[in-house]
């Protein structure tokens, strides 16, 4: 077990003493399945993924079934793993049975759409058998355009998938080529049109900006094509060059020149302004929806400290109070534990109240609903508004936040969202 590391800019002393039992569990829980296969590994990707043919996929699904069944027993109070976690972290066991039903199921990866229909059918049957699922649940599948066929779309819908997240990334073929994607912009357009013709509640497009060599005009043209297709939801992520990826080593050897910080900032503002004018409201730094109902329920759980259970290599889980744990990252290591009748947990961490508040501040200041001071005080017993009177005044005067007269909520402006991490770091969370 390890404790989460503290934020380097904060003092973590003199914090009100709050025990696990006084931290209120927040919202309904979700389920996450990590599918570790992709048809090729993109040069910027740092997820736990690999290529894998049918045999590896069969073995993965067998192990996944074991993991789902084991957690089903835990949730029904018939297993022992939560008890073990509780002992390790000196906490009372999380009461999963109290917070069912699960109202979100998310298949991410990796490329979940690369699983065969039989494999997906098995996974959904196991989830329904192991857990109580809410009637109005959101069921999301991440899909790559090359897997979008009429047959697959109809079958996915029949399996109960009601939200499709399409990894389009760009409508610029040069950018797609540099990103190492298999599909062309034409494939992506066909996939989006086909998906929208099927009755999914939400079709969402993932796009990437700040791609080396891509002009601002080309990015705006990608956005124009995206909104022209009228999806319900769009996510726009700035390209990050992660360590130990081919992009990282290309940059080190001068073969890849990253977009400079000023241009990144310009693209961020251009993206938000363009999508706002096109009728997509931002509800988080990278996420835009046409209607409130189109927002991602799954991501909201991460931002709200809601409980979630994760399955598959590298998947993370959180008990909704203070305990977080995550699975072994390598497919073989993850599967080995399950074959031996063990849950493949790599490590756990017991979050301190200070760490929970720091996370809450950092995550909420990335959203357009902002930071709810009263909610923080109710949940953690710390009055951030009183601790930060001068800081809030400065942030307001510099146009980075809006705060209501009673200072109950701190809402970042667009300029504030652009520097959300700095904004969060400027708030004092302790009186020490
Ligand atoms: S398709 Fe997505 S998950 Fe798979 S390698 Fe590419 S970026 Fe990573």
């Amino acid at each position: 077990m390890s404790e989460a590391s503290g934020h380097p800019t904060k003092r973590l002393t003199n914090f009100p003493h709050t025990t696990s039992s006084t931290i209120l569990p927040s919202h309904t829980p979700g389920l996450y399945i990590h599918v570790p296969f992709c048809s090729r590994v993109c040069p910027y990707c740092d997820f736990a993924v690999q290529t894998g043919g049918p045999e590896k996929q069969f073995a993965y699904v067998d192990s996944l079934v074991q993991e789902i069944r084991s957690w089903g027993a835990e949730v029904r109070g018939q297993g022992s793993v939560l008890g073990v976690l509780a002992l390790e972290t000196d906490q009372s066991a999380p009461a999963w049975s109290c917070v069912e039903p699960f109202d979100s199921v998310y298949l991410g990866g990796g490329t979940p759409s690369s699983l065969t229909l039989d494999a997906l059918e098995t996974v959904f049957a196991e989830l329904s058998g192991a857990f109580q699922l809410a009637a109005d649940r959101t069921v999301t599948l991440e899909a790559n355009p090359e897997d979008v066929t009429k047959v697959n779309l109809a079958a996915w819908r029949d399996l109960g998938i009601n939200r499709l997240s399409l990894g389009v990334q760009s409508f610029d073929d040069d950018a797609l080529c540099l990103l190492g994607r298999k599909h062309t912009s034409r494939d992506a357009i066909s996939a989006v049109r086909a998906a929208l013709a099927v009755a999914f509640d939400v079709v969402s497009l993932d796009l990437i900006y700040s791609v080396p060599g891509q002009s601002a005009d080309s990015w705006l043209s990608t956005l124009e094509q995206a909104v022209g297709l009228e999806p319900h939801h769009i996510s726009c992520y700035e390209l990050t060059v992660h360590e130990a990826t081919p992009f990282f080593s290309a940059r080190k050897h001068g073969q890849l020149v990253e977009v400079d910080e000023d241009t990144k900032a310009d693209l961020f503002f251009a993206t938000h302004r363009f999508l706002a004018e096109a009728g997509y409201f931002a509800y988080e730094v990278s996420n835009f929806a046409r209607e409130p109902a189109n927002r991602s329920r799954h991501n909201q759980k991460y931002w709200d400290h809601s409980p979630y259970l994760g399955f598959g290599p590298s998947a993370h889980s959180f008990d909704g109070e203070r305990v977080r744990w995550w699975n072994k990252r390598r497919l073989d290591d993850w599967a080995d534990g399950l074959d031996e009748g063990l849950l493949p947990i790599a490590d756990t961490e017991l979050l301190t109240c200070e760490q929970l508040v720091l996370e809450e501040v950092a995550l909420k200041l990335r959203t357009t609903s902002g930071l709810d001071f009263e909610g923080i005080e109710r949940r953690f017993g710390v009055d951030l508004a009183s601790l930060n009177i001068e800081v809030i005044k400065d942030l307001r005067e510099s146009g980075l936040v809006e705060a209501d007269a009673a200072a109950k909520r701190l809402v970042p402006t667009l300029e504030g969202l652009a520097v959300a991490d700095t904004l969060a770091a400027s708030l004092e969370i302790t009186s020490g």
Side-chain angles (χ1 to χ4, degrees), residues 37-38 40-42 44-47 49 109-111 144 169 181:
F37 302 110
C38 291
R40 69 162 75 152
V41 178
C42 305
Y44 58 93
C45 182
D46 76 333
F47 294 130
V49 292
T111 309
N144 275 347
Q169 316 311 352
R181 307 299 299 212

Side-chain angles (χ1 to χ4, degrees), residues 192 196 203 205 225-234 280 290:
V192 177
L196 285 165
V203 173
L205 310 190
Q225 292 189 69
V227 302
L229 290 164
E230 301 184 357
H232 308 87
H233 185 277
I234 298 177
Y280 289 81
R290 266 200 339 223

Side-chain angles (χ1 to χ4, degrees), residues 308-323:
Y308 49 88
L309 281 179
F311 311 99
S314 80
H316 281 55
S317 303
F318 182 59
D319 74 344
E321 293 193 4
R322 292 180 64 181
V323 185

Side-chain angles (χ1 to χ4, degrees), residues 185-208:
S185 63
R186 206 172 145 166
D187 299 334
I189 290 167
S190 306
V192 177
R193 286 198 176 125
L196 285 165
V198 177
F200 293 103
D201 295 346
V202 175
V203 173
S204 176
L205 310 190
D206 274 5
L207 302 173
I208 296 181

